[in-house]
Amino acid sequence: MINLLLNEEASTLSDDLQSLLKSCIEASLQAEDFPFDAAVSLSITDNEGIRALNRDNRQIDRETDVLSFPMLNAEDGVLIVEDTDITDGFVFLGDIVISLPKAKEQALSYGHSLERELGFLTVHSMLHLLGYDHEEGPREESEMFCKQDKILDSIQLYR
């Protein structure tokens, strides 16, 4: 079970888009055999908002498409879940923040739908929350990108 926490902007997305993003989160958890009920915060912002978060949290002063803020530690690619990480039966994995204008721009640039782009960004971010990092090296990047393609295929969200 997933507890999806939406900020005000995300809650204004259509019911279909909210359902799609929830499906992306559930498919990511299922692909990783995550054994707990999970809570995830999903925020939608604009380019200025994500640029400020990127600057303040990563010291990179430019806009980006998505940011992930994992709450759990991973050791050798395995999440460490302690009793203190479980609240009301849910493990809070962290926050996903998506720039909607950037997602729209990229969907147009890549020639696919906004739904596909938002789904991709959500799955990509979920894998970060689940302990994956494509900046560690080519092997880790390949593994993460292969997983995200499989997850997107499993919910028939193709390019």
Side-chain angles (χ1 to χ4, degrees):
M1 176 185 252
I2 180 85
N3 183 12
L4 182 58
L5 311 165
L6 302 174
N7 76 337
E8 187 175 331
E9 290 82 3
S11 64
T12 65
L13 294 174
S14 72
D15 290 345
D16 287 345
L17 266 180
Q18 288 183 38
S19 178
L20 171 69
L21 299 181
K22 189 172 183 179
S23 293
C24 290
I25 291 168
E26 289 171 340
S28 300
L29 294 169
Q30 205 169 32
E32 290 300 298
D33 294 322
F34 191 73
F36 303 97
D37 291 337
V40 174
S41 169
L42 175 67
S43 297
I44 299 293
T45 191
D46 58 17
N47 287 336
E48 291 171 13
I50 208 157
R51 180 179 182 169
L53 287 170
N54 206 18
R55 181 188 61 239
D56 295 349
N57 291 282
R58 299 178 64 224
Q59 292 68 54
I60 299 173
D61 190 14
R62 68 174 182 265
E63 63 192 40
T64 188
D65 49 7
V66 65
L67 291 171
S68 310
F69 298 99
M71 291 301 293
L72 301 177
N73 293 318
E75 200 170 281
D76 296 324
V78 177
L79 284 182
I80 301 166
V81 179
E82 299 178 14
D83 290 341
T84 56
D85 296 321
I86 302 172
T87 305
D88 296 330
F90 291 91
V91 174
F92 183 61
L93 294 176
D95 302 287
I96 297 171
V97 182
I98 297 173
S99 167
L100 188 57
K102 192 70 162 173
K104 288 177 179 178
E105 174 188 316
Q106 289 178 173
L108 185 62
S109 173
Y110 296 136
H112 56 238
S113 69
L114 177 61
E115 291 81 3
R116 199 288 179 184
E117 186 65 17
L118 289 172
F120 166 81
L121 294 173
T122 301
V123 168
H124 181 86
S125 200
M126 277 300 298
L127 289 174
H128 281 304
L129 297 186
L130 291 166
Y132 290 91
D133 188 356
H134 54 82
E135 295 180 11
E136 289 184 13
R139 185 180 64 77
E140 291 81 4
E141 179 180 53
S142 177
E143 179 184 5
M144 183 174 172
F145 288 5
C146 181
K147 284 182 178 288
Q148 70 193 18
D149 287 343
K150 286 180 182 178
I151 293 167
L152 291 165
D153 287 350
S154 77
I155 55 175
Q156 300 176 351
L157 198 54
Y158 307 111
R159 283 189 177 205

